[in-house]
Amino acid sequence: MCGIVGYVGSKEAAPVLLEGLHRLEYRGYDSAGVALVNKGRLKITKAAVRVNELRNLVGTDAPSTIGIAHTRWATHGPATDANAHPHTDADSRIVLVHNGIVENYEDLKAQLLEAGAQFKSETDTEVLAHLVGSCYLDGISLEEAVRTALRRVEGTYGLVVMDPRKPEELVVARNGSPIVLGVGDGEMFVASDVAALVRHTQRVVFLDDGEMAVVRAGDFRTFTLDASSTTKEPTLVDASDDEYQLGTFPDFFSKELHEQPAAVDRALRGRLDEQFATVRLGGIGLDPHELRTIQRVKFLGCGTSYYAGMVGANLVEELARIPADAEPASEFRYRNPVVDPDCLYVAISQSGETLDTLAAITELKRKGGKVMGAVNVIGSAIARECGSGVFLHSGPEVSVASTKAFTNMMVSFAMLGLMLGRVRDLSVASGKRMVTGLRALPGQITEILQQSAAVEQVAAQYAGSSHMFYIGRNRCWPIAREGALKLKEISYIHAEAYQAGELKHGPLALIDETCPSVIVIPDDELLAKNISSIEQIKARGGAVIAITNTTLPEGLCDAVITVPKSEPELDPVLLNIPLQLFAYHVATKLGRDIDKPRNLAKSVTVE
Ligand code: G6P
């Protein structure tokens, strides 16, 4: 989605801003722009171009020690130079960049048009610029003008405003769209994502919804929309700039895919308790007695996070025998859900900023629900809103399509299931079995990654397909869905996931020699049934690619990828890795832009 970078200090702002935009490119965008101030003169450069081209357009003729910059992902109006940010009011007294959506922009625009405003773009952001300008009267400070304007705005915003005649401060506001301040030594940074500022500082301040800040080179002040001061101490982000660099990898997807052994290791570190055959998840903040009172568990998330929730529901049911399910947060928030006070709700999000998930949490809390987060980004909106939960510790995930965060979600839910199980009826022996299984995962994932070349050969054979089925059942049904999603996201091949048992109830009609099936087939109690599903597909001429941890009958499948055996509850964690490799190699064969799939964004902070 859109990205914001702001700078005020003593350095030249343009390189800082452009480098910051470059770090945010992974979020997806279709135009970009920068506003700089030199000797009181505003210089805006913006166009429907990539950041690299913008760099050439900006040039070096406007050295400025303050500036704001933006990458836009079109919502109101197409990706054109005119619609790109920054936007100004009529006389360019103020200039701003904005993430989010102004919902009442038509009403506001009508009022501003009546007052004589003229618009150069179709964006809701330009309306915001004119609105702030109209409130910026003589004797009124910029922060007051922004505050007054925002009281009339319905919708979401992450906002940075600058007055070119006062090139020493930026006014910042947040509501529903992330804004983080970076505190440097005699310089300050503003961004919509820490990725844009970690190379300069690791001391950050996350703004809350409804909060504003005035940022100057040497300090910052935070306050609410009604001007009451808030106290914010900088915290340290646990990400370094290196983690946002490709290193020797061709793209972030493969980098992050290969980082999974280390990511799982981090998620497990300090949490496994061999002595009591359980885990310690201190962040949940519930004592054993409170854990016993949980009667149900419901996982909420979007996209990949929702599928991780499905895996989590299976794990909790199996290990703790507590009824559990998962639901897309985007559905939950709109259906007036019945909120059960005895249910533990788990909000899952890699970014911690997904609006649908955040809205589901707000609805839950409003109805007295008990909600914890399973979030990767410390300090993110969902992490703060939940207040308790498990951090995924997968390290920054830059690729739009998730790999290591998904794996760490599954691992975290295995730990949650184990913890809930061990305060109930899960035996010490079963607990030990799980702890041992968890500990073995990083090494086993490394083994699977070593088969990348073999998976690549299979991918080369099937990359020309227009459709594929992904088949799984029970524990592996969610990863069949995730596998199909991964293929869709990065290769654009149509893929549909189906439960093996449902094939005969319709989809078999589509099976022929042009439609291969990827089937996830663990060595579990349903092995024989899964083999007969494969036979049904083969009988209709369909090719079968099996991802398994057992030996299948010779000649049954067209391709077989075998992973090490784990504890059955952990099968999805290992069997999912070849699905990631397969999607990756298919997408590479097709020459796709793996890290930036068309039409998709890393974190979706709009509806
Ligand atoms: C977007 C991304 C998906 C991701 C989903 C949830 O739709 O394109 O890849 O799974 O958001 O993101 P979250 O950060 O909440 O896990």
Side-chain angles (χ1 to χ4, degrees), residues 23-327:
R23 299 300 159 109
L24 297 183
E25 282 191 288
Y26 77 93
R27 299 174 67 95
Y29 70 104
D30 42 40
S31 57
V34 178
L36 299 162
V37 187
N38 185 227
K39 301 198 182 96
R41 289 201 35 224
L42 176 67
K43 181 184 173 198
I44 295 180
T45 314
K46 56 179 194 165
V49 294
R50 308 304 291 172
V51 171
N52 250 340
E53 294 165 66
L54 182 73
R55 211 184 286 271
N56 298 332
L57 298 176
V58 169
T60 49
D61 63 330
S64 171
T65 54
I66 188 168
I68 56 178
H70 192 261
T71 44
R72 172 173 187 257
W73 194 75
T75 55
H76 294 67
T80 61
D81 296 355
N83 287 336
H85 301 204
H87 288 282
T88 65
D89 65 337
D91 310 318
S92 297
R93 289 185 313 139
I94 66 106
V95 57
L96 60 78
V97 290
H98 162 231
N99 285 358
I101 289 182
V102 179
E103 278 162 14
N104 60 339
Y105 90 105
E106 277 173 351
D107 289 348
L108 293 171
K109 189 169 185 174
Q111 291 162 27
L112 290 161
L113 281 169
E114 204 160 303
Q118 287 180 348
F119 291 89
K120 298 181 203 128
S121 78
E122 297 149 81
T123 63
D124 53 340
T125 300
E126 195 187 3
V127 172
L128 205 51
H130 280 267
L131 184 65
V132 172
S134 72
C135 300
Y136 198 19
L137 305 170
D138 284 348
I140 302 278
S141 68
L142 183 59
E143 71 179 82
E144 282 172 82
V146 173
R147 220 169 27 231
T148 312
L150 290 181
R151 281 201 209 103
R152 291 173 58 193
V153 171
E154 286 163 26
T156 54
Y157 47 80
L159 191 69
V160 190
V161 192
M162 178 171 83
D163 173 350
R165 295 161 307 169
K166 292 191 184 150
E168 65 277 340
E169 71 173 24
L170 299 173
V171 175
V172 183
R174 166 188 172 133
N175 186 43
S177 234
I179 286 283
V180 55
L181 313 181
V183 183
D185 198 4
E187 56 185 355
M188 287 285 299
F189 306 83
V190 181
S192 51
D193 182 328
V194 289
L197 47 81
V198 281
R199 66 193 293 257
H200 303 287
T201 178
Q202 288 183 297
R203 298 177 67 218
V204 298
V205 174
F206 293 94
L207 290 196
D208 285 313
D209 278 346
E211 199 169 34
M212 290 181 57
V214 173
V215 176
R216 291 165 169 264
D219 59 28
F220 67 94
R221 241 173 346 100
T222 54
F223 44 88
T224 60
L225 275 186
D226 55 16
S228 323
S229 293
T230 52
T231 313
K232 281 285 171 76
E233 286 302 324
T235 52
L236 286 182
V237 278
D238 69 343
S240 71
D241 190 43
D242 290 352
E243 292 174 278
Y244 292 96
Q245 305 291 331
L246 277 177
T248 54
F249 288 93
D251 46 66
F252 281 102
F253 187 95
S254 62
K255 176 176 184 264
E256 289 158 7
L257 199 162
H258 284 89
E259 280 171 353
Q260 292 181 105
V264 171
D265 194 50
R266 257 198 314 272
L268 299 175
R269 203 172 301 157
R271 286 170 162 171
L272 298 181
D273 178 343
E274 241 97 30
Q275 193 189 355
F276 295 102
T278 185
V279 290
R280 286 178 294 265
L281 296 175
I284 292 180
L286 298 175
D287 65 29
H289 177 74
E290 289 166 317
L291 289 174
R292 288 294 309 248
T293 62
I294 296 167
Q295 300 298 316
R296 227 158 60 79
V297 179
K298 189 174 190 77
F299 293 86
L300 297 165
C302 297
T304 292
S305 295
Y306 161 54
Y307 297 143
M310 290 174 67
V311 176
N314 284 340
L315 282 159
V316 166
E317 284 207 353
E318 279 201 77
L319 295 170
R321 304 305 297 156
I322 302 174
D325 71 340
E327 184 177 339

Side-chain angles (χ1 to χ4, degrees), residues 282-517:
I284 292 180
L286 298 175
D287 65 29
H289 177 74
E290 289 166 317
L291 289 174
R292 288 294 309 248
T293 62
I294 296 167
Q295 300 298 316
R296 227 158 60 79
V297 179
K298 189 174 190 77
F299 293 86
L300 297 165
C302 297
T304 292
S305 295
Y306 161 54
Y307 297 143
M310 290 174 67
V311 176
N314 284 340
L315 282 159
V316 166
E317 284 207 353
E318 279 201 77
L319 295 170
R321 304 305 297 156
I322 302 174
D325 71 340
E327 184 177 339
S330 50
E331 288 283 293
F332 181 85
R333 63 176 291 200
Y334 285 120
R335 66 168 180 82
N336 191 19
V338 176
V339 172
D340 175 355
D342 298 323
C343 177
L344 174 66
Y345 293 88
V346 183
I348 316 159
S349 177
Q350 186 287 127
S351 62
E353 301 291 348
T354 301
L355 188 69
D356 284 326
T357 310
L358 199 53
I361 297 166
T362 315
E363 175 72 356
L364 271 170
K365 287 176 72 174
R366 203 182 56 72
K367 289 181 166 172
K370 191 169 27 237
V371 56
M372 60 164 256
V375 175
N376 196 33
V377 179
I378 296 171
S380 59
I382 292 176
R384 283 176 295 134
E385 189 63 25
C386 291
S388 66
V390 293
F391 280 114
L392 304 174
H393 295 307
S394 63
E397 194 177 68
V398 174
S399 161
V400 167
S402 179
T403 51
K404 59 180 181 172
F406 178 68
T407 295
N408 276 23
M409 286 169 189
M410 293 190 282
V411 169
S412 302
F413 300 150
M415 290 193 282
L416 177 66
L418 175 54
M419 190 173 88
L420 289 169
R422 287 289 293 125
V423 294
R424 289 179 160 78
D425 300 325
L426 192 74
S427 66
V428 175
S430 298
K432 282 215 161 97
R433 189 176 60 76
M434 287 302 296
V435 169
T436 309
L438 284 163
R439 218 181 258 304
L441 288 175
Q444 292 176 314
I445 295 174
T446 304
E447 272 181 59
I448 302 170
L449 292 172
Q450 283 158 359
Q451 296 185 55
S452 181
V455 180
E456 187 176 359
Q457 280 185 6
V458 181
Q461 260 178 287
Y462 296 99
S465 313
S466 305
H467 308 277
M468 289 195 207
F469 273 113
Y470 276 68
I471 314 293
R473 67 200 311 165
N474 284 8
R475 294 184 192 110
C476 291
W477 160 233
I479 61 160
R481 297 191 74 181
E482 168 61 10
L485 178 68
K486 213 84 307 179
L487 190 77
K488 277 185 273 211
E489 281 182 313
I490 63 172
S491 79
Y492 316 148
I493 292 177
H494 171 234
E496 192 176 343
Y498 245 93
Q499 293 103 327
E502 285 292 296
L503 271 181
K504 58 186 176 296
H505 298 297
L508 271 185
L510 295 176
I511 299 284
D512 62 16
E513 48 295 329
T514 67
C515 180
S517 298

Side-chain angles (χ1 to χ4, degrees), residues 481-562:
R481 297 191 74 181
E482 168 61 10
L485 178 68
K486 213 84 307 179
L487 190 77
K488 277 185 273 211
E489 281 182 313
I490 63 172
S491 79
Y492 316 148
I493 292 177
H494 171 234
E496 192 176 343
Y498 245 93
Q499 293 103 327
E502 285 292 296
L503 271 181
K504 58 186 176 296
H505 298 297
L508 271 185
L510 295 176
I511 299 284
D512 62 16
E513 48 295 329
T514 67
C515 180
S517 298
V518 178
I519 175 155
V520 186
I521 177 162
D523 185 13
D524 64 10
E525 57 283 4
L526 293 169
L527 181 61
K529 292 197 184 306
N530 282 330
I531 288 178
S532 77
S533 300
I534 294 179
E535 273 156 358
Q536 286 174 22
I537 294 170
K538 295 296 300 174
R540 283 149 187 92
V544 170
I545 304 152
I547 316 292
T548 187
N549 56 7
T550 187
T551 310
L552 297 173
E554 190 69 31
L556 176 70
C557 303
D558 300 84
V560 180
I561 296 153
T562 310

